[in-house]
Structures are given as C-alpha cells and as structure tokens.
C-alpha cells in the first residue's frame, strides 16, 4: 500500500486526483499506476484500470487470477467491474469513497452473486494516509478557486 500511496502523491503532483494502484502477483509488484484522467483527457484513466491493463500485458493474459490490487481509494463501479472481468483475486483499498465506491459503500460488485466472478476485499488499509492525500488535494483545489 505504501507504493500505491506514492503513486497517489505522483498523481497529485500532476494535478490529478491522488489515487494510486499497484497490482501484486505472488508477492511481486507487476504493475503500478496513478490517475491520469486530466493529463490524458480520458475519463477511463483511473489508477486501477491503468495498473490492471499493464499487469495483463506483463503476464500476457487478461485473466489476473491470483493477483491483488492495492488502491488508495475504494474503486468505482467501472473499476470494480473491471476487477470482476479480469478475475482479480483480491482488492485492498485505503479509504472509502462515499460518492462513488462500489466495493461496499454504494454497492458491492465484489460479491454480487449474479456476476461470474467474486473476489476478496480488505478495506481501511492505510486509510488515514490515503484520506489525507485526498483532503489536502481538494483543499488546494478549493483555495485556488477562491484566489
């Protein structure tokens, strides 16, 4: 999760919402990314999506069975759905997302019985640090608007 937090800091430094993600397989980091929606003008350029896409390229398969995604913010519906579709084994996230989180807050795609895959979720890992990145970022954004 420390690496995901570092990715979140890199996103903030670029003016992106500070979310970072890391994909681990057999104890080894195989991919890491941070949000790039603003930089790439791409609404899908979420940290999780970019890290999962890279992990699939690294292992040469769209099925990421056995992989764990570490992400600083609870994944949205798109990213949670991607975790279902890529057969992620586990997602560990930092802070919940009351406006978009779909691994327990607004819904839960990880254990939906109508879907063809379910995965384990662990919430609250380094939650304070992840929340602090977001709080600081949005305070700076609001301060710029009042200048």
């Amino acid at each position: 999760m420390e690496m995901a937090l570092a990715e979140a800091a890199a996103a903030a430094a670029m003016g992106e919402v500070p979310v970072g993600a890391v994909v681990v397989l057999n104890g080894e980091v195989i991919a890491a990314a941070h949000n790039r929606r603003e930089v790439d003008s791409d609404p899908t350029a979420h940290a999780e999506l970019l890290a999962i896409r890279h992990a699939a390229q690294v292992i040469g398969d769209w099925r990421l069975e056995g992989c764990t995604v570490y992400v600083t913010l609870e994944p949205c519906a798109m990213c949670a759905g991607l975790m279902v579709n890529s057969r992620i084994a586990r997602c560990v996230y930092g802070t919940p997302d009351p406006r978009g989180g779909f691994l327990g807050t607004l819904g839960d795609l990880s254990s939906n019985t109508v879907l063809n895959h379910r995965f384990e979720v662990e919430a609250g890992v380094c939650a304070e640090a992840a929340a602090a990145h977001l709080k600081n970022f949005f305070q700076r954004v609001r301060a710029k608007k009042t200048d």
Side-chain angles (χ1 to χ4, degrees):
M1 186 59 88
E2 292 296 324
M3 187 178 273
L5 288 166
E7 288 288 336
M14 298 171 59
E16 295 281 349
V17 174
V19 178
V22 173
V23 180
V24 174
L25 177 62
N26 299 325
E28 229 179 282
V29 173
I30 60 170
H34 53 268
N35 273 7
R36 294 186 52 90
R37 293 188 317 168
E38 299 295 332
V39 171
D40 294 346
S41 298
D42 181 353
T44 69
H46 290 204
E48 305 95 302
L49 183 141
L50 297 171
I52 288 170
R53 182 180 289 153
H54 185 235
Q57 291 170 345
V58 167
I59 66 171
D61 195 346
W62 63 268
R63 293 172 195 86
L64 299 180
E65 295 165 342
C67 288
T68 298
V69 176
Y70 292 86
V71 60
T72 56
L73 180 66
E74 179 183 5
C76 69
M78 175 183 72
C79 293
L82 175 60
M83 291 178 191
V84 170
N85 287 329
S86 61
R87 310 300 191 263
I88 291 294
R90 183 170 171 244
C91 177
V92 177
Y93 73 83
T95 192
D97 184 354
R99 294 184 178 197
F102 254 81
L103 290 185
T105 299
L106 299 178
D108 191 353
L109 292 179
S110 70
S111 60
N112 190 312
T113 58
V114 300
L115 299 175
N116 63 348
H117 176 72
R118 284 167 280 296
F119 57 94
E120 185 182 328
V121 175
E122 184 177 347
V125 175
C126 297
E128 288 180 20
H133 275 294
L134 290 159
K135 182 179 177 183
N136 294 337
F137 175 80
F138 286 112
Q139 282 177 339
R140 287 192 306 273
V141 167
R142 284 190 289 279
K144 284 181 184 175
K145 286 183 179 180
T146 60
D147 288 345

